[in-house]
Amino acid sequence: MKALTWQGKRDVRVEDVPDPKIEEPTDAIIRITSTAICGSDLHLYEVLGPYLKPGDVLGHEPMGVVEEVGSGVTRLKPGDRVVVPFNIACGSCWMCDRQLYAQCETTQVTSEGKGAALFGYTSLYGSVPGGQAEYLRVPQAQFGPIKIPETGPDERWLYLSDILPTAWQAVKYADTPPGGTLAVFGLGPVGQFCARIGRHLGAGRVIGLDLVPERLEMARRHGIEVLDVSELDDVPGALIDLVDARGPDAVIDAVGMEAHGAPLGKIAQTAAGLLPDKLGQTMTDKAGVDRLVVLHAALKAVRRGGTVSISGVYGGEQDPMPLMEMFDRGVQLRMGQCHVKRWIDDIMPLLAGDDDPLGVEDLRTHRLPLARAPQAYEMFQKKQDGCVKVVLEP
């Protein structure tokens, strides 16, 4: 089959790889009909190379049709249309019983000290082949895949794999009081959904911050108040002034480790990426730092006693944090990988009707064949051609 493989920094290629097969009774084989590029895939493209090896298959936002199931999978049958969550969970362990699916004890990558295994996301999370491919082996299929209706375009359902529940969790964690103000740093795909979900769940005012014109315009289309951070000298100060001289009740950081405007962090990430893999892993594990300009701005902008919710991926072990200010101002902090299936029952009714209240069919800007995935990665990373979200078709 054809699949997108990692070959090196900013080097991904579509190659022939072996077709996946049933390996365990709880496996399923899915024929992929749509698979998206996630913002966190760009971390693999740029800074997380030490945890990848040439030939690793990328991608963790797939959907498709069941081709085959193992003997232990009774809830699916060939022909079912499904979305595959990015985290792999058993549904029955101690963590899963508490709906902490991203910490599933059956698939935890304990050798790396990490949580549940993820599709297409480095040796840290199990080196499980990903979904930017024609076919995908899905472990723990007795629980994971989400059955969806046979009708409706793929993009009505595709984002259940990751970014829609990730945004839902970020907004829930932000805990904006009814009628309060929510600010969202970063209007990429997750940030777009965070802003829309924030309005849907009762925030009186939602402010989105970014510097890419197409992202700002997309948010405006959905009734979001926007700030272009490239026009601001003091982003936290501007937010505080804008919201009653106190700041927003809640702030979501939907950017993560590769924020713009953090030159020292970028130098450190680049240096780690230039080292041989073992040395690069050691440097990242023991002394890694992120680009923290957005997170620090979020912490400084939120009102006293407010909440900062982090959905953007971070990987630093030595990140400096303004703890004195956080403590003095009583800032609450919530974060973590999304527990995808925890939120599906809340989200599904919003996708089933004709009104599309979250605007899921107004996110994708580019739909391309899998063969053009290398160009799509470059376009997405460089924010060219108005690119906000790319969906690939095998």
Side-chain angles (χ1 to χ4, degrees):
M1 69 170 184
K2 298 291 185 183
L4 185 76
T5 64
W6 184 90
Q7 299 297 331
K9 184 175 181 177
R10 301 189 201 121
D11 183 3
V12 294
R13 306 174 197 170
V14 177
E15 296 189 327
D16 288 312
V17 303
D19 289 349
K21 294 179 170 52
I22 298 290
E23 298 178 16
E24 301 289 342
T26 52
D27 286 351
I29 304 298
I30 310 297
R31 175 176 56 83
I32 303 300
T33 57
S34 291
T35 181
I37 302 176
C38 182
S40 55
D41 286 328
L42 298 183
H43 303 322
L44 311 183
Y45 193 64
E46 187 71 27
V47 303
L48 292 179
Y51 298 99
L52 292 157
K53 63 182 185 299
D56 281 352
V57 178
L58 303 182
H60 59 266
E61 294 186 3
M63 66 172 289
V65 178
V66 176
E67 291 283 298
E68 184 181 1
V69 298
S71 60
V73 180
T74 58
R75 54 182 289 273
L76 299 176
K77 65 182 185 302
D80 283 345
R81 190 184 188 199
V82 296
V83 174
V84 181
F86 76 96
N87 39 31
I88 302 170
C90 72
S92 59
C93 68
W94 191 92
M95 288 289 183
C96 287
D97 282 347
R98 288 153 181 80
Q99 296 188 302
L100 299 173
Y101 303 119
Q103 308 299 336
C104 173
E105 292 181 327
T106 300
T107 73
Q108 271 182 19
V109 187
T110 54
S111 62
E112 299 288 345
K114 294 295 183 285
L118 310 179
F119 287 103
Y121 217 80
T122 79
S123 60
L124 292 174
Y125 289 98
S127 294
V128 182
Q132 290 170 2
E134 293 181 310
Y135 293 90
L136 176 68
R137 180 179 77 91
V138 180
Q140 304 298 329
Q142 83 288 349
F143 175 72
I146 302 160
K147 292 176 69 171
I148 58 171
E150 297 299 318
T151 58
D154 276 9
E155 285 146 48
R156 173 61 67 125
W157 311 103
L158 174 62
Y159 307 128
L160 288 171
S161 59
D162 178 356
I163 60 173
L164 195 51
T166 291
W168 192 277
Q169 177 173 294
V171 174
K172 285 289 191 178
Y173 280 8
D175 196 25
T176 311
T181 299
L182 170 68
V184 179
F185 278 80
L187 292 171
V190 170
Q192 294 286 341
F193 279 148
C194 284
R196 300 175 199 181
I197 292 166
R199 281 176 54 87
H200 178 77
L201 292 181
R205 187 179 184 187
V206 180
I207 304 169
L209 299 93
D210 207 293
L211 46 69
V212 179
E214 291 83 3
R215 292 178 173 186
L216 294 166
E217 179 54 35
M218 179 177 282
R220 284 193 194 96
R221 283 204 301 271
H222 291 269
I224 308 305
E225 187 177 347
V226 300
L227 289 177
D228 184 341
V229 297
S230 67
E231 298 177 351
L232 301 174
D233 294 326
D234 177 6
V235 174
L239 268 177
I240 290 169
D241 289 344
L242 200 58
V243 189
D244 304 322
R246 293 190 189 95
D249 299 289
V251 178
I252 293 173
D253 172 0
V255 178
M257 67 169 70
E258 292 187 82
H260 290 276
L264 294 180
K266 182 174 183 178
I267 290 169
Q269 290 174 342
T270 301
L274 293 174
L275 294 170
D277 283 355
K278 288 296 182 184
L279 288 175
Q281 289 178 16
T282 300
M283 181 175 175
T284 301
D285 289 344
K286 304 299 183 185
V289 294
D290 295 305
R291 305 182 206 174
L292 296 172
V293 63
V294 166
L295 180 55
H296 285 184
L299 292 166
K300 292 175 183 295
V302 71
R303 68 157 169 82
R304 290 177 177 271
T307 301
V308 172
S309 171
I310 305 173
S311 64
V313 175
Y314 283 96
E317 284 288 331
Q318 298 293 327
D319 288 341
M321 297 289 284
L323 284 170
M324 182 174 71
E325 186 168 8
M326 293 165 64
F327 182 85
D328 174 70
R329 299 179 69 238
V331 173
Q332 301 177 76
L333 197 59
R334 294 201 71 182
M335 68 191 83
Q337 297 277 16
C338 180
H339 309 295
V340 172
K341 293 203 71 173
R342 178 175 180 173
W343 310 109
I344 296 303
D345 288 346
D346 294 326
I347 300 171
M348 283 287 279
L350 304 177
L351 306 181
D354 296 328
D355 52 344
D356 193 14
L358 302 182
V360 293
E361 293 186 42
D362 182 27
L363 184 74
R364 186 265 298 162
T365 53
H366 294 75
R367 186 175 182 93
L368 299 169
L370 180 65
R372 292 188 59 194
Q375 294 90 340
Y377 265 75
E378 181 178 11
M379 174 179 62
F380 189 24
Q381 187 201 40
K382 294 181 178 179
K383 302 174 179 66
Q384 297 172 334
D385 194 32
C387 183
V388 175
K389 185 66 174 178
V390 181
V391 175
L392 300 171
E393 185 174 347

